[in-house]
């Protein structure tokens, strides 16, 4: 700029071409390129020669905000102009020099930059803080920071406004330089406890069109004065505390407040002189935070109520205080178990005691209060006892169902036949029977009496009393079996035990001692005449042996009597079956000679063929089963090739035809043997004479007549015997079926003790009539053990006719 000025002065001096000043006025903030004026026209220059004459514009002392268009000669805004940035004074001018050549000429140009309202008022501090004591008088004045506006003239700050406030207002002041500022005036006394901070808004308004404004926040903090005493939330506190609360546990936290602040609101808590030492020993007061905690263990039963007075004082210069009263009520905790006391007790008792017999008198108490001290007393339901209200407020333990010593030896908790009925006050009971006792069901009752309070959680106590039941003779002896069935071998020696019975009595002591006897009240001779019984153990012995062939079964009664008073008895039927022994040897029925010996003579023609029946040896055994099963064998024979013997039927037949060289007489000795363990036998001798056919025929007629007569007599007696045996057999079958249906116990292995017994009873009776043989066989296939005889075969053969 200085360079241009120097050039401009130099040229002016040489050429002496200085002209007058051309004045323009433009507002600030015009857009770049905006035309200010046509300088060429205003200066009278030819636009067409501007380029040739090299016209230019120089800014004096400033940036080049304005430029000239050499084509049109117009001045235009080259750069946006901010008056507030360009000039600090109210007036602002931009000076230019316009220069042309050929000839050189210079023009002074002055452009005035006018102000526009483009700036709002603003405060140097957006927030102003004022501390005002709540004791300040009304009308006191407080200075505020004023607002500044870069604009000038009417566009500068013209006024201030304060937000609505009942405590403050403002007054506008004008300085010597015309600057506007405001003072804050207290128009109403302050109270920090009501409002500690006042937030105000100060607004500065300029005079532009449109107006612009600026704001600042005013925060007025009211300074405290100790003018408030501490106060509690309540004047009277009623606190509930559980007894046995842990030491150190919080009872209550007192809350005293002071509307002041700082040290004026710092509070210290303390007991007043009206609080007892006992209370202060039980509860600790924290002076800093007002917490009251348990200091010693609290017991409801010792003291139920505590009263205290607490003072709250502030720490201000002139300390102020407030107070409150506390009532601490101790809440009962269910910490005492009910106590059961047995006032009277009766044991043992007879099982036939009447219902409602008093067994015991029970009382119950609980040191707690309310529901914690209300006690429910009960016993297990499944017992023949119950609790009942007594006239003097006790409970009675009574039997609730029959007692049976033999069924239950001792009581089981939860399954006892007893009951409890509480009285209205729930403090006294009588334990009485509610049903008849039965020692045979249970002879000892352990009665658990449970006392349970209604606290939460509930506490309970138990006491067990033992009631012994005395026996009464109310049960008859019972036999272990009914009826009894015994199997006794025949020929047993007299005086030896044949069987034994046993009876049990459900009673105890002497009432259960049983004696045995035979029922001999039946008139006439009976089997009991030769039987004897041991009164102590029920062993029965026979005074004589038995013969199966004479007596196969008999029955009698045994009576069992206890030793009670009065005594009770029962009887049982005993059935005895005689078991056959091999005590009879076979008896030869044919051949029999006239002198009674087992000898006979048979004559046969010489011309018979092989297989001819010579004769049949007949034999009988009084025993049955294997003992009566007969086998035939040739013991002696003159010619083994000529005669053969059937071992089962006793038939003698020819094995071949006779020859001329065969002898005319042959002697055969036949051995007849039973199948008993110790086999018995008999022999018969048959002499066979071989005769010519005519002689044989004549002898055959005579013999046939004799034989038929003999056979008819034998058949008659056989039919009588067979009918009797069949009747006896059917009766035995019916009795056996009835006994087996009434008792399923297998007695076979118990009573058949023979060493070779194979588990199968097979009895047979053989009868013979002429050439016919009849066998009645009884087979019992029940067995309880494997047969020791591997070759056992029941004596039935296809060659026999069986009934």
């Amino acid at each position: 700029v200085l360079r241009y000025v120097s050039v401009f002065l130099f040229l002016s001096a040489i050429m002496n071409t200085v002209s007058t000043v051309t004045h323009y006025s433009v507002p600030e903030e015009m857009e770049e390129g905006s035309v200010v004026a046509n300088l060429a026209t205003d200066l009278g220059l030819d636009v067409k020669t501007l380029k040739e004459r090299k016209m230019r514009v120089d800014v004096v002392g400033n940036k080049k905000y304005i430029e000239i268009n050499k084509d049109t000669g117009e001045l235009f805004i080259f750069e946006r102009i901010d008056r507030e940035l360009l000039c600090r004074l109210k007036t602002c001018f931009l000076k230019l020099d316009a220069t042309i050549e050929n000839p050189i000429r210079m023009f002074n140009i002055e452009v005035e930059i006018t102000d526009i309202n483009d700036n709002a008022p603003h405060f140097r501090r957006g927030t102003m803080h004022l501390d005002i004591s709540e004791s300040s008088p009304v009308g006191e004045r407080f200075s505020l920071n004023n607002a500044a506006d870069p604009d000038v003239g009417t566009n500068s700050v013209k006024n201030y406004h304060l937000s609505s406030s009942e405590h403050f207002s403002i007054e506008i002041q004008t300085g010597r330089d015309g600057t506007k500022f405001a003072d804050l005036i207290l128009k109403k006394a302050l109270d920090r406890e009501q409002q500690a901070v006042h937030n105000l808004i100060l607004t500065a308004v300029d005079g532009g069109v449109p107006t612009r404004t600026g704001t600042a926040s005013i925060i007025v903090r009211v300074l405290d004065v100790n003018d408030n005493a501490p106060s509690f939330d309540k004047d009277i506190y009623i606190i509930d505390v559980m007894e046995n609360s842990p030491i150190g546990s919080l009872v209550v936290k007192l809350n005293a407040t002071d509307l002041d602040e700082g040290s004026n609101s710092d509070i210290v808590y303390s007991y007043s002189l009206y609080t007892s030492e006992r209370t202060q020993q039980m509860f600790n007061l924290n002076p800093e935070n007002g917490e009251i905690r348990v200091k010693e263990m609290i017991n409801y039963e010792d003291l139920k109520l505590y009263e205290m007075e607490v003072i709250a004082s502030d720490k201000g210069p002139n300390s102020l205080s407030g107070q409150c009263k506390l009532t601490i009520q101790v809440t009962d905790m269910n910490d005492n178990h009910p106590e059961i006391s047995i006032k009277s007790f009766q044991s043992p008792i007879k099982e036939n005691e009447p219902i409602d017999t008093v067994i015991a008198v029970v009382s119950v108490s609980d040191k707690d209060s309310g529901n914690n001290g209300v006690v429910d007393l009960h016993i297990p339901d499944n017992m023949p006892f119950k609790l009942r209200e007594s006239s003097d407020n006790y409970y009675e333990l009574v039997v609730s169902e029959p007692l049976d010593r033999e069924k239950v030896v001792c009581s089981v908790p939860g399954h006892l036949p007893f009951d409890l009925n509480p009285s209205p006050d729930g403090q006294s009971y009588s334990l009485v029977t509610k049903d008849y006792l039965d020692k045979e069901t249970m002879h000892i009752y352990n009665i658990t009496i449970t006392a349970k309070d209604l606290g939460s959680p509930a506490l309970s106590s138990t006491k067990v009393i033992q009631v012994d039941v005395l026996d009464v003779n109310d049960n008859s002896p019972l036999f272990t079996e009914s009826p009894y069935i015994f199997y006794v071998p025949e020929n047993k020696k007299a005086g030896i035990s044949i069987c034994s019975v046993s009876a049990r009595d459900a009673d105890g002591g002497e009432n259960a001692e049983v004696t045995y006897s035979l029922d001999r009240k039946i008139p006439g001779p009976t089997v009991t005449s030769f039987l004897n019984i041991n009164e102590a153990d029920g062993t029965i012995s026979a005074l004589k042996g038995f013969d199966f062939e004479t007596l196969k079964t008999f029955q009698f009664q045994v009576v069992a009597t206890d030793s009670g008073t009065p005594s009770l008895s029962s009887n049982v039927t005993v059935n005895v079956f005689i078991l056959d022994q091999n005590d009879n040897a076979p008896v030869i029925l044919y051949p029999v000679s006239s002198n009674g010996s087992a000898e006979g003579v048979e004559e046969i023609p010489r011309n018979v063929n092989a297989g001819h029946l010579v004769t049949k040896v007949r034999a009988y055994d009084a025993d049955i089963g294997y003992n009566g099963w007969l086998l035939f064998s040739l013991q002696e024979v003159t010619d083994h090739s000529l005669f053969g013997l059937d071992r089962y039927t006793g038939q003698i037949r020819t094995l071949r035809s006779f020859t001329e060289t065969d002898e005319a007489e042959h002697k055969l000795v036949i051995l007849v043997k039973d199948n008993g363990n110790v086999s018995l036998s008999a022999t018969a001798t048959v002499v066979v004479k071989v005769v010519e056919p005519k002689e044989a025929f004549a002898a055959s007629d005579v013999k046939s007549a004799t034989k038929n007569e003999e056979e008819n007599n034998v058949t008659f007696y056989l039919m009588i015997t067979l009918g009797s045996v069949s009747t006896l057999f059917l009766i035995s079958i019916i009795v056996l079926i009835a006994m087996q249906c009434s008792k399923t116990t297998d007695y076979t292995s118990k009573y058949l003790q023979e060493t070779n017994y194979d588990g199968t009873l097979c009895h047979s009776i053989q009868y013979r009539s002429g050439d016919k043989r009849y066998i009645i066989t009884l087979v019992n296939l029940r067995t309880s053990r494997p047969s020791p005889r591997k070759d056992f075969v029941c004596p039935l053969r296809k060659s026999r006719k069986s009934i």
Side-chain angles (χ1 to χ4, degrees):
V1 172
L2 295 175
R3 182 173 60 86
Y4 284 127
V5 171
S6 301
V7 172
F8 175 74
L9 294 174
F10 176 74
L11 292 175
S12 297
I14 297 177
M15 301 175 60
N16 198 19
T17 58
V18 177
S19 61
T20 62
V21 177
T22 304
H23 182 83
Y24 296 103
S25 177
V26 297
E28 64 176 331
E29 303 292 342
M30 289 185 66
E31 294 291 334
E32 294 179 0
S34 298
V35 177
V36 176
N38 194 319
L39 182 61
T41 301
D42 293 339
L43 296 178
L45 300 176
D46 186 2
V47 175
K48 295 179 181 180
T49 62
L50 293 180
K51 286 184 178 181
E52 295 177 359
R53 300 182 68 177
K54 300 179 181 179
M55 187 175 184
R56 64 180 183 275
V57 174
D58 297 318
V59 178
V60 180
N62 289 295
K63 293 176 61 177
K64 194 174 184 178
Y65 292 101
I66 296 177
E67 184 60 272
I68 189 169
N69 187 334
K70 296 179 181 181
D71 294 327
T72 62
E74 293 176 338
L75 288 175
F76 64 91
I77 302 300
F78 181 73
E79 185 177 350
R80 183 184 296 271
I81 302 172
D82 185 357
R83 193 197 70 83
E84 289 76 24
L85 182 62
L86 181 64
C87 303
R88 300 296 180 183
L89 302 176
K90 292 183 178 180
T91 60
C92 184
F93 293 93
L94 184 64
K95 293 183 178 183
L96 306 175
D97 290 333
T99 305
I100 58 176
E101 296 179 2
N102 298 319
I104 295 174
R105 292 186 63 184
M106 182 176 293
F107 303 94
N108 293 329
I109 301 170
E110 184 180 73
V111 178
E112 182 182 5
I113 308 301
T114 61
D115 182 49
I116 65 173
N117 194 22
D118 59 343
N119 291 281
H122 69 279
F123 293 88
R124 292 190 295 275
R125 289 187 298 176
T127 301
M128 291 179 279
H129 294 275
L130 295 178
D131 291 337
I132 302 175
S133 174
E134 61 179 330
S135 60
S136 297
V138 175
E140 188 171 351
R141 182 185 300 270
F142 304 95
S143 297
L144 299 178
N145 296 326
N146 65 316
D149 193 333
D151 297 325
V152 295
T154 58
N155 293 332
S156 63
V157 176
K158 294 300 181 182
N159 201 358
Y160 292 93
H161 301 288
L162 184 67
S163 60
S164 176
S165 172
E166 62 177 339
H167 291 88
F168 297 97
S169 63
I170 58 172
E171 287 186 359
I172 308 301
Q173 302 292 333
T174 304
R176 293 180 179 179
D177 58 352
T179 302
K180 303 287 186 179
F181 59 90
D183 289 337
L184 186 65
I185 307 300
L186 180 63
K187 68 179 184 178
K188 182 179 179 180
L190 300 175
D191 188 350
R192 193 201 65 80
E193 287 70 38
Q194 291 184 357
Q195 187 172 355
V197 177
H198 296 264
N199 293 306
L200 305 174
I201 302 296
L202 181 63
T203 304
V205 182
D206 63 19
V209 179
T211 61
R212 291 179 178 269
T213 61
T215 60
S217 295
I218 303 174
I219 299 177
V220 178
R221 186 167 66 91
V222 182
L223 300 179
D224 183 51
V225 175
N226 191 22
D227 56 349
N228 292 280
S231 63
F232 289 91
D233 295 341
K234 301 177 182 178
D235 292 335
I236 298 175
Y237 290 85
I238 299 177
I239 309 298
D240 292 330
V241 61
M242 294 293 293
E243 69 169 326
N244 299 331
S245 295
I247 294 176
S249 59
L250 180 66
V251 176
V252 65
K253 187 179 187 302
L254 297 177
N255 183 28
T257 57
D258 192 321
L259 298 179
D260 298 322
E261 68 176 358
S263 62
N264 296 329
S265 64
D266 293 339
I267 297 175
V268 177
Y269 299 89
S270 62
Y271 285 121
S272 73
L273 297 177
Y274 297 102
T275 304
S276 67
E277 293 184 3
R278 175 59 179 165
T279 300
Q280 295 185 40
Q281 290 174 357
M282 295 299 296
F283 300 96
N284 179 59
L285 173 62
N286 189 319
E288 299 298 328
N289 55 24
E291 290 181 348
I292 297 178
R293 296 182 178 270
V294 176
K295 190 175 181 181
E296 292 185 4
M297 190 64 67
I298 303 173
N299 191 351
Y300 174 84
E301 289 70 33
D302 293 342
L303 189 60
K304 301 176 178 59
L305 188 70
Y306 294 89
E307 292 183 339
M308 62 182 70
E309 187 176 83
V310 177
I311 298 175
S313 302
D314 61 29
K315 296 180 181 181
N318 299 314
S319 179
L320 301 177
S321 63
Q323 62 185 19
C324 69
K325 292 183 179 181
L326 283 85
T327 300
I328 298 179
Q329 301 176 144
V330 180
T331 302
D332 182 39
M333 185 176 181
N334 196 21
D335 58 343
N336 291 282
H337 290 263
E339 297 179 0
I340 302 172
S341 177
I342 306 299
K343 299 299 183 181
S344 66
F345 176 56
Q346 176 186 353
S347 178
I349 60 173
K350 293 182 179 180
E351 61 178 328
N352 61 349
E353 289 286 354
I355 295 177
D356 289 342
T357 299
V358 177
I359 307 301
V361 177
V362 183
S363 66
V364 63
S365 61
D366 195 316
K367 294 180 181 179
D368 296 318
S369 64
N371 287 338
N372 297 332
V374 178
V375 180
D376 178 24
L377 194 67
H378 66 276
I379 62 174
D381 295 332
N382 302 333
M383 300 194 80
F385 303 93
K386 66 180 179 180
L387 285 171
R388 189 180 63 194
E389 180 184 359
S390 61
S391 58
D392 39 357
N393 294 329
Y394 289 97
Y395 276 81
E396 297 176 340
L397 179 61
V398 296
V399 181
S400 63
E401 62 188 41
L403 308 181
D404 190 342
R405 176 182 179 276
E406 281 66 33
K407 289 184 180 179
V408 183
V409 177
C410 59
S411 60
V412 179
H415 301 280
L416 303 177
F418 299 87
D419 194 10
L420 281 174
N421 294 324
S423 62
D425 60 2
Q427 298 300 311
S428 58
Y429 302 82
S430 292
L431 183 64
V432 300
T433 58
K434 72 177 181 182
D435 209 337
Y436 292 103
L437 307 182
D438 187 358
K439 183 177 185 295
E440 289 68 46
T441 301
M442 185 178 292
H443 73 284
I444 295 176
Y445 286 92
N446 289 320
I447 306 172
T448 301
I449 302 176
T450 302
K452 185 177 182 180
D453 60 32
L454 301 184
S456 179
L459 297 179
S460 62
S461 299
T462 59
K463 185 177 287 292
V464 179
I465 61 175
Q466 178 175 309
V467 178
D468 296 323
V469 182
L470 290 179
D471 184 49
V472 175
N473 191 27
D474 57 350
N475 291 280
S476 300
L478 295 178
F479 286 93
T480 57
E481 300 179 24
S482 182
Y484 281 94
I485 300 175
F486 297 104
Y487 296 88
V488 180
E490 65 174 332
N491 302 324
K492 203 166 186 180
K493 292 182 180 181
I496 298 178
S497 172
I498 61 172
C499 59
S500 178
V501 296
S502 177
R504 295 180 179 177
D505 196 313
D507 297 319
E510 292 182 356
N511 298 329
E513 294 179 2
V514 179
T515 59
Y516 303 91
S517 63
L518 297 175
D519 186 0
R520 303 181 189 273
K521 297 179 181 179
I522 301 175
T526 61
V527 292
T528 57
S529 60
F530 57 84
L531 296 177
N532 187 30
I533 188 168
N534 187 317
E535 293 184 354
D537 59 13
T539 301
I540 301 171
S541 59
L543 302 178
K544 66 176 184 178
F546 299 103
D547 184 7
F548 175 80
E549 289 70 32
T550 302
L551 180 65
K552 293 180 172 55
T553 182
F554 62 89
Q555 185 182 87
F556 60 93
Q557 296 283 325
V558 176
V559 180
T561 306
D562 61 27
S563 300
T565 303
S567 64
L568 300 177
S569 63
S570 61
N571 56 11
V572 70
T573 299
V574 179
N575 296 289
V576 178
F577 292 89
I578 309 303
L579 299 179
D580 182 44
Q581 301 293 313
N582 193 22
D583 57 347
N584 292 281
V587 177
I588 305 297
L589 298 178
Y590 182 85
V592 178
S593 64
S594 57
N595 60 5
S597 62
E599 294 182 358
V601 178
E602 297 290 338
E603 292 183 352
I604 61 173
R606 183 179 289 276
N607 61 350
V608 297
N609 296 323
H612 176 72
L613 177 63
V614 176
T615 187
K616 181 177 181 181
V617 178
R618 299 180 181 86
Y620 168 74
D621 195 320
D623 298 320
I624 65 170
Y626 277 100
N627 297 329
W629 182 19
L630 303 179
L631 295 177
F632 301 85
S633 62
L634 285 174
Q635 190 172 20
E636 294 182 17
V637 63
T638 54
D639 189 347
H640 287 283
S641 66
L642 190 55
F643 298 100
L645 175 65
D646 188 300
R647 65 177 303 188
Y648 299 110
T649 63
Q651 293 180 352
I652 302 174
R653 294 182 182 274
T654 58
L655 297 176
R656 61 179 176 81
S657 300
F658 290 95
T659 63
E660 294 295 334
T661 60
D662 290 329
E663 296 180 1
E665 184 174 317
H666 299 271
K667 181 181 179 181
L668 288 75
V669 178
I670 294 91
L671 176 66
V672 182
K673 181 175 64 173
D674 61 28
N675 277 275
N677 289 334
V678 179
S679 180
L680 302 178
S681 63
T683 59
T685 302
V686 177
V687 177
V688 180
K689 292 183 179 182
V690 181
V691 299
E692 296 302 326
K694 292 180 179 181
E695 298 176 3
F697 180 75
S700 175
D701 289 339
V702 176
K703 185 176 182 180
S704 176
T706 303
K707 185 175 182 181
N708 288 336
E709 182 180 358
E710 177 188 348
E711 196 169 89
N712 289 335
N713 293 332
V714 172
T715 300
F716 175 73
Y717 292 118
L718 180 61
M719 291 178 64
I720 294 175
T721 303
L722 181 61
S724 301
V725 172
S726 298
T727 301
L728 180 60
F729 170 72
L730 291 176
I731 293 173
S732 300
I733 290 296
I734 293 172
V735 172
L736 286 172
I737 291 175
M739 289 187 296
Q740 292 299 329
C741 291
S742 63
K743 188 162 186 68
T744 59
T745 306
D746 190 355
Y747 298 97
T748 304
S749 62
K750 179 177 180 182
Y751 297 107
L752 296 181
Q753 303 297 333
E754 293 83 354
T755 56
N756 292 331
Y757 178 66
D758 59 356
T760 302
L761 292 178
C762 187
H763 304 283
S764 63
I765 302 175
Q766 302 182 24
Y767 299 93
R768 299 172 180 77
S769 176
D771 293 337
K772 297 181 180 180
R773 183 183 185 188
Y774 299 89
I775 301 177
I776 299 175
T777 304
L778 171 62
V779 179
N780 182 2
L781 297 178
R782 296 177 68 246
T783 178
S784 61
R785 58 176 178 171
S787 172
R789 294 182 56 179
K790 304 302 183 180
D791 58 345
F792 169 76
V793 178
C794 189
L796 297 177
R797 295 288 185 262
K798 293 182 179 180
S799 61
R800 304 179 186 185
K801 296 181 179 179
S802 302
I803 298 177

